[in-house]
């Protein structure tokens, strides 16, 4: 069969009916971005509030808590299949929305179960029912996240014109950072100290607020595909998943970028499970203070995002996505070097400075990396490519979360000092970002597009 015949006979994916060739207004971009306010509330409630209470207040070991937090990341490969299915199939005419809303509903349910399991363990640390409840809750949370996170990114890709994609995705992530700052403040006010009643109330009210944001933000953003597109979808919905995945991974630049995302994400999130406990156990900071950490670095990350977008717009030839990613990684290296000194020398004043530097680095890294994610995505399989990038980040975040807890516990067992154990974690992160810079230097966006197979070749492979 000729290439032209292949094009006419069976398109590789259903025709998009979204308005991705029109301007995405700031107002509409903001509405879609509200989704990530709910996402940041969810992250802080688990990795910040629940993590701190479980380790510092309830006295549980950091390793099992880190493993529970890491469950959502280790189930992330499921999102690759989900992303590919949202590319080639539809339910009631919609490709992305069913996965988004269904996944977020599971996440809401998981918080109610997590709260009940935690208070049960608080009363009896050996309670099998309590531990099973926490495990089930975080499995539901993980599955829900896998179903909804990648398809949300794919929806943004669908509705945004190419020229606005970096701005749109950075805008959305700015709301994630804003959410981190707001959630930290709100949670510190609602739960200044742990009480059973206050904890249960927080884990009941917060998920309901998240649910409203998740529903409203994407309501009406995906247009149902028409009858012609439905026929096209039916023709390709049985396209082999593994065939698509092999085609994507055949590109050498795909593999290098996957590694960069994994390393940079892993070394950043190695602090995720130990940052608040570090301040509590080394400097005796109260819960109300450590809950505001996300506000400090979140605010600076937002400033970093705004400045990065301005520089990229003002100097497009010199400040591209790769340059911004490089700046971000270098600044994060400095930040964790400061954290290392802060812990080992027990200099409390360096905590705030380190948080500020970390936020600035995160802002530059966010804009550069998200821009590269969009640059290294092909329209014939946006859901598949974005799920690959998401899985790289998500798995790495899980490994980093667990690594932080394990390094802290192992170092503490040898040194017997909190300052040394936490300083070891921060030192590993600083060294890791040095390695990440070397990998980043191998990324070439132009080479990626030259190596990526054309749409017709992917179809020929799938039909062979």
């Amino acid at each position: 069969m000729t290439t032209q015949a292949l094009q006419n006979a069976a398109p590789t994916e259903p025709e998009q009916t979204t308005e991705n060739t029109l301007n995405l207004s700031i107002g509409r971009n903001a509405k879609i971005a509200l989704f990530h306010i709910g996402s940041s509330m969810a992250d802080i409630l688990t990795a910040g509030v629940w993590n701190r209470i479980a380790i510092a207040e309830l006295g549980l070991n950091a390793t099992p808590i880190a493993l529970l937090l890491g469950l959502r990341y280790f189930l992330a490969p499921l999102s690759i299949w989900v992303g590919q299915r949202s590319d080639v199939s539809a339910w009631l005419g919609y490709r992305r929305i069913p996965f988004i809303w269904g996944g977020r509903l599971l996440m809401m349910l998981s918080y109610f179960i997590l709260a009940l399991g935690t208070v049960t363990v608080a009363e009896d640390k050996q309670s099998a029912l309590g531990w099973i409840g926490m495990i089930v809750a975080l499995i539901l949370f993980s599955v829900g996240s896998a179903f909804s996170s990648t398809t949300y990114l794919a929806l943004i890709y669908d509705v945004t014109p190419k020229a606005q994609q970096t701005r749109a995705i950075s805008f959305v992530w700015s709301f994630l950072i804003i959410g981190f700052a707001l959630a930290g403040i709100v949670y510190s006010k609602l739960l200044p100290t742990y009480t059973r009643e206050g904890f249960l109330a927080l884990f009941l009210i917060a998920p309901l607020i998240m649910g409203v944001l998740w529903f409203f933000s994407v309501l009406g953003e995906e247009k149902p595909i028409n009858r012609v597109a439905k026929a096209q979808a039916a023709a390709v919905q049985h396209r082999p998943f593994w065939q698509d995945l092999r085609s994507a991974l055949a590109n050498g630049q795909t593999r290098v970028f996957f590694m960069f995302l994994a390393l940079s994400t892993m070394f950043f999130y190695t602090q995720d499970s130990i940052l608040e406990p570090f301040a509590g156990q080394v400097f005796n900071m109260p819960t109300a203070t450590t809950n505001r950490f996300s506000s400090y670095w979140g605010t600076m990350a937002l400033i970093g995002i705004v400045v990065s977008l301005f520089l990229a717009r003002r100097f497009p030839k010199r400040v591209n996505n790769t340059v911004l990613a490089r700046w971000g990684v270098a600044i994060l290296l400095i930040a964790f070097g400061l954290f290392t000194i802060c812990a080992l020398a027990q200099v409390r004043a360096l905590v705030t400075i380190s948080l500020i530097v970390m936020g600035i680095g995160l802002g530059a890294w966010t804009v550069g990396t998200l821009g590269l994610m969009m640059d290294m995505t092909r329209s014939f399989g946006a859901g598949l490519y974005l799920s690959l990038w998401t899985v790289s980040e998500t798995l790495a975040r899980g490994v980093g979360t667990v690594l932080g807890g394990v390094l802290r516990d192992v170092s503490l067992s040898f040194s017997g000092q909190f300052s040394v154990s936490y300083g070891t974690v921060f030192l590993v992160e600083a060294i890791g970002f040095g390695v990440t810079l070397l990998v980043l230097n191998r990324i070439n966006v132009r080479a990626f597009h030259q190596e990526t197979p054309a749409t017709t070749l992917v179809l020929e492979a799938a039909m062979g």
Side-chain angles (χ1 to χ4, degrees), residues 11-230:
T12 60
E13 65 176 82
E15 174 188 324
Q16 292 187 10
T17 58
T18 50
E19 301 174 49
N20 59 348
T21 57
L22 303 179
N23 180 63
L24 181 68
S25 68
I26 294 294
R28 187 175 166 204
N29 206 160
K31 174 179 174 290
I32 296 173
L34 286 174
F35 187 92
H36 262 352
I37 296 287
S39 298
S40 55
M41 290 178 65
D43 282 346
I44 295 299
L45 195 58
T46 50
V49 178
W50 181 75
N51 170 66
R52 160 66 197 252
I53 287 172
I55 296 175
E57 268 63 47
L58 303 185
L60 302 178
N61 289 330
T63 297
I65 297 305
L67 286 170
L68 286 174
L69 286 173
L71 283 175
R72 64 175 290 195
Y73 310 126
F74 300 133
L75 288 179
L78 176 62
S79 67
I80 299 179
W81 176 82
V82 172
Q84 193 261 1
R85 297 321 301 165
S86 74
D87 281 335
V88 302
S89 62
W91 183 70
L92 299 180
Y94 295 93
R95 294 190 297 155
R96 317 294 190 189
I97 289 289
F99 290 106
I100 295 173
W101 281 345
R104 293 292 149 155
L105 184 61
L106 287 179
M107 290 172 65
M108 289 176 61
L109 176 63
S110 73
Y111 277 113
F112 305 143
I113 300 174
L114 181 61
L116 295 175
T118 302
V119 296
T120 302
V121 171
E123 296 170 356
D124 178 8
K125 293 181 182 178
Q126 305 302 319
S127 172
L129 183 61
W131 281 101
I132 290 173
M134 291 194 295
I135 293 171
V136 169
L138 289 166
I139 289 176
L140 289 176
F141 185 92
S142 304
V143 173
S145 178
F147 269 66
S148 55
S149 297
T150 295
T151 44
Y152 171 66
L153 290 180
L155 177 63
I156 296 172
Y157 186 94
D158 291 344
V159 303
T160 308
K162 184 69 176 177
Q164 294 182 343
Q165 283 178 352
T166 296
R167 186 210 75 184
I169 199 70
S170 297
F171 196 83
V172 166
W173 248 259
S174 296
F175 272 56
L176 182 70
I177 302 300
I178 292 172
F180 282 141
L182 292 177
I185 294 172
V186 172
Y187 292 156
S188 66
K189 297 294 184 182
L190 293 178
L191 193 67
T193 58
Y194 172 76
T195 64
R196 184 180 187 278
E197 294 73 18
F199 180 81
L200 288 173
L202 180 61
F203 273 69
L204 175 63
I205 296 171
L208 294 177
I209 296 174
M210 297 173 202
V212 171
L213 292 171
W214 289 331
F215 177 79
F216 171 76
S217 61
V218 296
L219 181 64
E221 294 302 328
E222 182 180 21
K223 306 301 181 186
I225 58 178
N226 57 35
R227 284 181 295 178
V228 174
K230 285 181 181 178

Side-chain angles (χ1 to χ4, degrees), residues 307-321 323-324 327:
V307 171
S308 297
L309 288 173
F310 169 78
L311 291 175
R313 185 178 179 86
R314 182 70 177 80
F315 308 104
K317 294 183 179 179
R318 287 186 290 173
V319 185
N320 56 32
N321 293 322
V323 170
L324 287 173
W327 289 354

Side-chain angles (χ1 to χ4, degrees), residues 149-461:
S149 297
T150 295
T151 44
Y152 171 66
L153 290 180
L155 177 63
I156 296 172
Y157 186 94
D158 291 344
V159 303
T160 308
K162 184 69 176 177
Q164 294 182 343
Q165 283 178 352
T166 296
R167 186 210 75 184
I169 199 70
S170 297
F171 196 83
V172 166
W173 248 259
S174 296
F175 272 56
L176 182 70
I177 302 300
I178 292 172
F180 282 141
L182 292 177
I185 294 172
V186 172
Y187 292 156
S188 66
K189 297 294 184 182
L190 293 178
L191 193 67
T193 58
Y194 172 76
T195 64
R196 184 180 187 278
E197 294 73 18
F199 180 81
L200 288 173
L202 180 61
F203 273 69
L204 175 63
I205 296 171
L208 294 177
I209 296 174
M210 297 173 202
V212 171
L213 292 171
W214 289 331
F215 177 79
F216 171 76
S217 61
V218 296
L219 181 64
E221 294 302 328
E222 182 180 21
K223 306 301 181 186
I225 58 178
N226 57 35
R227 284 181 295 178
V228 174
K230 285 181 181 178
Q232 294 172 347
V236 299
Q237 64 178 320
H238 297 298
R239 191 172 71 195
F241 164 72
W242 292 110
Q243 184 68 54
D244 278 4
L245 184 60
R246 282 195 297 269
S247 297
L249 293 178
N251 188 324
Q253 284 295 313
T254 297
R255 297 192 296 271
V256 173
F257 186 60
F258 190 95
M259 182 183 300
F260 162 72
L261 282 177
L263 289 176
S264 58
T265 304
M266 180 182 72
F267 288 119
F268 177 78
Y269 282 101
T270 298
Q271 55 75 32
D272 200 37
S273 64
I274 57 95
L275 187 58
E276 287 84 0
F278 153 68
Q281 294 182 316
V282 174
F283 298 109
N284 295 315
M285 293 186 186
T287 304
T289 299
T290 59
N291 280 350
R292 289 198 293 269
F293 277 8
S294 60
S295 300
Y296 298 148
W297 61 257
T299 300
M300 298 312 300
L302 182 59
I303 293 173
I305 288 174
V306 172
V307 171
S308 297
L309 288 173
F310 169 78
L311 291 175
R313 185 178 179 86
R314 182 70 177 80
F315 308 104
K317 294 183 179 179
R318 287 186 290 173
V319 185
N320 56 32
N321 293 322
T322 303
V323 170
L324 287 173
R326 187 176 294 117
W327 289 354
V329 172
I331 295 171
L332 286 170
L333 189 159
I334 295 171
F336 287 105
L338 290 174
F339 271 123
T340 303
I341 298 172
C342 174
L344 296 178
Q346 299 185 44
V347 183
R348 177 170 177 148
L350 270 181
V351 174
T352 302
I353 296 173
S354 302
L355 288 169
I356 290 172
V357 177
M358 185 178 80
I360 294 172
L362 179 62
W365 177 84
T366 296
V367 175
T369 302
L370 291 175
L372 283 173
M373 284 175 61
M374 290 300 182
D375 289 341
M376 302 187 74
T377 294
R378 296 301 295 264
S379 59
F380 74 79
L384 176 63
Y385 272 93
L386 288 170
S387 66
L388 278 175
W389 309 147
T390 302
V391 165
S392 175
E393 286 191 306
T394 306
L395 281 178
R397 182 171 177 177
V399 172
T401 299
V402 173
L403 180 63
V406 172
L407 283 175
R408 178 265 192 192
D409 285 352
V410 172
S411 299
L412 184 60
S413 68
F414 280 103
S415 67
Q417 300 179 43
F418 286 125
S419 59
V420 174
S421 64
Y422 287 110
T424 300
V425 177
F426 297 137
L427 179 60
V428 168
E429 291 180 273
I431 295 172
F433 279 115
V435 175
T436 301
L437 278 175
L438 299 178
V439 177
L440 178 58
N441 289 334
R442 297 177 55 197
I443 294 176
N444 187 316
V445 175
R446 180 173 296 180
F448 166 78
H449 286 282
Q450 290 174 344
E451 293 180 27
T452 302
T455 305
T456 53
L457 294 180
V458 173
L459 181 59
E460 288 171 352

